[in-house]
Amino acid sequence: MEADVAQAHNEQEDGGMDAECLQVARTKMIQPTSLKDPKLEKLKEALVDWINRTLKEEHIVVRSLDEDLYDGLVLHHLLGRLADVHLPLEEIARSSSAQIRKLEAVMEELDKRLDQPHTKWDVSSIHKKNLLATLHLLVAMVRHFQPELKLPTGVKVQVALVEVSGKGIRSDVQTEVLTEESSDSENVSRTDGDANRVEQLLKMEAHKVALVKQFSDGVILLLLIGQLEGFFIPLCDFSLTPVDHAQMLHNVSLALSLLTHLGLHVSIQAGDVVTQDVAATLKVLFALFNKHARQEEKMAAISI
């Protein structure tokens, strides 16, 4: 982990080794080439979307995983929402020492609950904004607290392991797995009735599928949800004329959050809709259609 400092405990013999040689600093970081990997970008986007939906009611918005989690504030709130553990900690830790103390308390509770060895992250690496450690921690949290959430599979990165000591610098490059490849059984389990219906919808003519892509900025989707459910979404809560990816992502994330509150759990990421993934968009629309079609059937049965 970044600046993971290990002090050697062997006693010096005959006063031979300099104390400087005993201090070894180990740093592990993602290679710049891997930072541009589309799979990694999609994983980061999925995790940001998950955090923002989880903490929406607390008005916390995360934009950067390494820049926004280092002080313990976001992790503290995630611990409260996901594990119902509310630690008596100061809300804003301004000094570095206060941030570290807060992280120590929060991560002690998280580490008690996560089902794997916690060697891939620690307080120091999170506080020093190590993206690799932060990703490992967040993936472990999703796997434990919300295993039904589908994260991008098969995400691997090249990492540089650098050791600096009084003897010099030693470096090595290795591959590190962030999420495993999906198994055949997982792929089969996703082909349930609704998925099959979505596959049928994908066989529509191209001009009909093109209409689906109009939902990519989230505006029509939000208006549709409000119309169907009979409530007004304040214009200050979303961008009516989004001009960039971030605004579109916010709109779609809000729509998915509303669907979750309505009891519709659609296993997609907001970024998939924004990037005009037809299958993902159809899943959302089908969930809405299916809900209201069933309501109409019940009303018809009652009237009969």
Side-chain angles (χ1 to χ4, degrees):
M1 289 300 172
E2 188 168 342
D4 178 21
V5 180
Q7 179 67 43
H9 296 290
N10 296 333
E11 294 183 357
Q12 299 181 34
E13 296 182 1
D14 301 324
M17 294 183 67
D18 190 278
E20 227 176 79
C21 294
L22 296 175
Q23 193 81 9
V24 180
R26 296 186 180 90
T27 303
K28 185 184 283 189
M29 61 186 71
I30 300 175
Q31 291 277 70
T33 51
S34 285
L35 290 173
K36 300 176 183 178
D37 188 326
K39 284 189 174 182
L40 178 60
E41 285 297 321
K42 199 164 186 178
L43 176 62
K44 289 165 62 178
E45 189 176 87
L47 291 170
V48 167
D49 178 52
W50 169 67
I51 293 172
N52 288 337
R53 281 191 286 126
T54 302
L55 300 181
K56 181 181 181 299
E57 293 183 1
E58 302 183 38
H59 307 290
I60 292 176
V61 178
V62 167
R63 291 185 172 85
S64 170
L65 294 180
D66 43 354
E67 292 292 334
D68 292 346
L69 273 72
Y70 77 96
D71 61 355
L73 172 67
V74 173
L75 291 174
H76 183 203
H77 282 268
L78 284 174
L79 178 66
R81 297 289 294 182
L82 298 171
D84 198 26
V85 175
H86 304 280
L87 300 175
L89 301 171
E90 57 184 324
E91 182 69 7
I92 305 295
R94 301 191 183 280
S95 69
S96 178
S97 58
Q99 291 165 359
I100 290 174
R101 287 195 299 272
K102 185 170 186 175
L103 276 172
E104 287 174 342
V106 171
M107 293 185 66
E108 180 181 358
E109 293 297 324
L110 282 174
D111 286 351
K112 290 176 183 177
R113 291 161 173 79
L114 300 181
D115 303 325
Q116 66 181 64
H118 313 130
T119 58
K120 296 180 179 180
W121 63 81
D122 56 25
V123 170
S124 175
S125 59
I126 300 299
H127 187 252
K128 291 180 178 178
K129 305 179 183 180
N130 184 297
L131 178 60
L132 181 64
T134 303
L135 287 169
H136 275 306
L137 173 60
L138 292 174
V139 169
M141 290 174 66
V142 170
R143 298 289 190 239
H144 179 80
F145 293 111
Q146 289 190 311
E148 73 281 0
L149 181 66
K150 303 297 183 187
L151 292 177
T153 59
V155 182
K156 302 175 183 178
V157 291
Q158 294 293 308
V159 299
L161 176 61
V162 181
E163 291 188 1
V164 182
S165 69
K167 294 181 178 181
I169 300 176
R170 186 166 67 90
S171 63
D172 186 26
V173 177
Q174 50 194 233
T175 300
E176 193 143 335
V177 176
L178 292 170
T179 62
E180 301 289 345
E181 296 284 354
S182 60
S183 65
D184 292 339
S185 60
E186 288 175 334
N187 289 331
V188 170
S189 67
R190 276 182 273 187
T191 58
D192 54 12
D194 288 354
N196 290 334
R197 293 185 181 94
V198 169
E199 288 177 10
Q200 292 298 316
L201 290 173
L202 286 171
K203 295 177 182 178
M204 294 188 304
E205 295 90 337
H207 72 279
K208 292 182 180 178
V209 173
L211 292 175
V212 172
K213 296 185 178 181
Q214 295 180 12
F215 290 87
S216 62
D217 63 4
V219 176
I220 296 178
L221 186 57
L222 285 168
L223 297 176
L224 178 62
I225 292 172
Q227 181 69 24
L228 291 173
E229 297 298 330
F231 57 75
F232 176 73
I233 303 172
L235 297 180
C236 60
D237 286 351
F238 69 100
S239 176
L240 191 58
T241 55
V243 296
D244 56 29
H245 180 85
Q247 290 179 339
M248 295 178 185
L249 190 64
H250 170 77
N251 283 356
V252 177
S253 297
L254 175 59
L256 293 180
S257 177
L258 290 173
L259 291 179
T260 299
H261 283 291
L262 293 170
L264 296 176
H265 302 282
V266 186
S267 59
I268 66 161
Q269 302 300 326
D272 294 336
V273 176
V274 175
T275 55
Q276 300 185 352
D277 184 300
V278 177
T281 307
L282 287 173
K283 283 183 180 179
V284 176
L285 296 177
F286 180 78
L288 273 170
F289 169 79
N290 202 31
K291 177 178 185 289
H292 287 276
R294 287 173 180 170
Q295 286 180 348
E296 289 184 6
E297 289 176 359
K298 288 180 182 178
M299 292 298 294
I302 293 173
S303 62
I304 292 172

